[in-house]
Amino acid sequence: MKKPVILIVGIIYILSIVIVGFLGIKPKVFNEKIYVEDIVLTFDEKLTKKETTNPNIDYFYTAKNVENLTFDITAQVTPNNATNKECVFESVGKDDYYTVSSVYAGEATIATIQCSGSNLGRTISLKVSSTDGNKSMVKFIDILLWLI
């Protein structure tokens, strides 16, 4: 090869490296962790939400029967593409008249609250939190059970 051809190929090679460096594809981050921004709660149809003026009670629910009541609360998170969509339900009080068990079902966490005995006028206090490491995504729920 002649000298000018080798020189031109070398210059084009160096220019291509510079051009790709400035105008190249932006690096894409893989395994990016998307945190939960909000937890949306849906309550069982056994409970009816009522308006309350009591600032200490978040949810005032009535039920047709509060004896040995069992109901579900579903927790879905936003955004839909969050890395970890699982939530944890915990009993806040040391009350022994109800138990909380939860299971993660793909798109939502479903908690079953099972009350024992007469629960008229009792309050169920729960803490719902995401398990993705976002410590600020916590909701506290107080449910007052009353007859319709």
Side-chain angles (χ1 to χ4, degrees):
M1 268 200 230
K2 298 194 176 197
K3 234 180 184 180
V5 173
I6 294 174
L7 190 59
I8 291 174
V9 169
I11 292 172
I12 291 174
Y13 177 74
I14 292 172
L15 284 175
S16 67
I17 291 173
V18 171
I19 290 173
V20 169
F22 284 113
L23 304 175
I25 300 173
K26 291 183 181 180
K28 184 175 182 181
V29 178
F30 291 97
N31 297 329
E32 181 181 3
K33 191 166 190 175
I34 300 172
Y35 289 102
V36 172
E37 294 175 5
D38 192 19
I39 300 173
V40 179
L41 301 172
T42 307
F43 292 85
D44 196 316
E45 66 272 356
K46 293 179 188 174
L47 302 176
T48 306
K49 187 172 184 176
K50 299 290 184 180
E51 296 298 322
T52 178
T53 56
N54 186 342
N56 297 324
I57 297 186
D58 301 322
Y59 296 93
F60 176 62
Y61 279 90
T62 58
K64 291 182 181 175
N65 183 10
V66 293
E67 294 275 334
N68 299 319
L69 178 67
T70 300
F71 61 92
D72 295 332
I73 301 173
T74 303
Q76 290 183 299
V77 300
T78 58
N80 290 335
N81 63 342
T83 304
N84 186 351
K85 298 179 184 181
E86 187 174 359
C87 293
V88 174
F89 284 80
E90 299 174 73
S91 174
V92 175
K94 296 187 182 204
D95 303 312
D96 59 353
Y97 59 88
Y98 67 91
T99 58
V100 180
S101 59
S102 62
V103 63
Y104 178 63
E107 292 296 315
T109 302
I110 302 169
T112 301
I113 292 83
Q114 187 169 9
C115 305
S116 59
S118 176
N119 303 299
L120 186 63
R122 291 191 171 184
T123 302
I124 295 173
S125 299
L126 301 173
K127 174 184 168 184
V128 185
S129 57
S130 63
T131 60
D132 66 350
N134 184 359
K135 300 206 184 311
S136 65
M137 189 38 55
V138 175
K139 287 196 173 189
F140 290 94
I141 309 167
D142 286 329
I143 302 171
L144 176 64
L145 296 175
W146 205 257
L147 290 174
I148 291 178

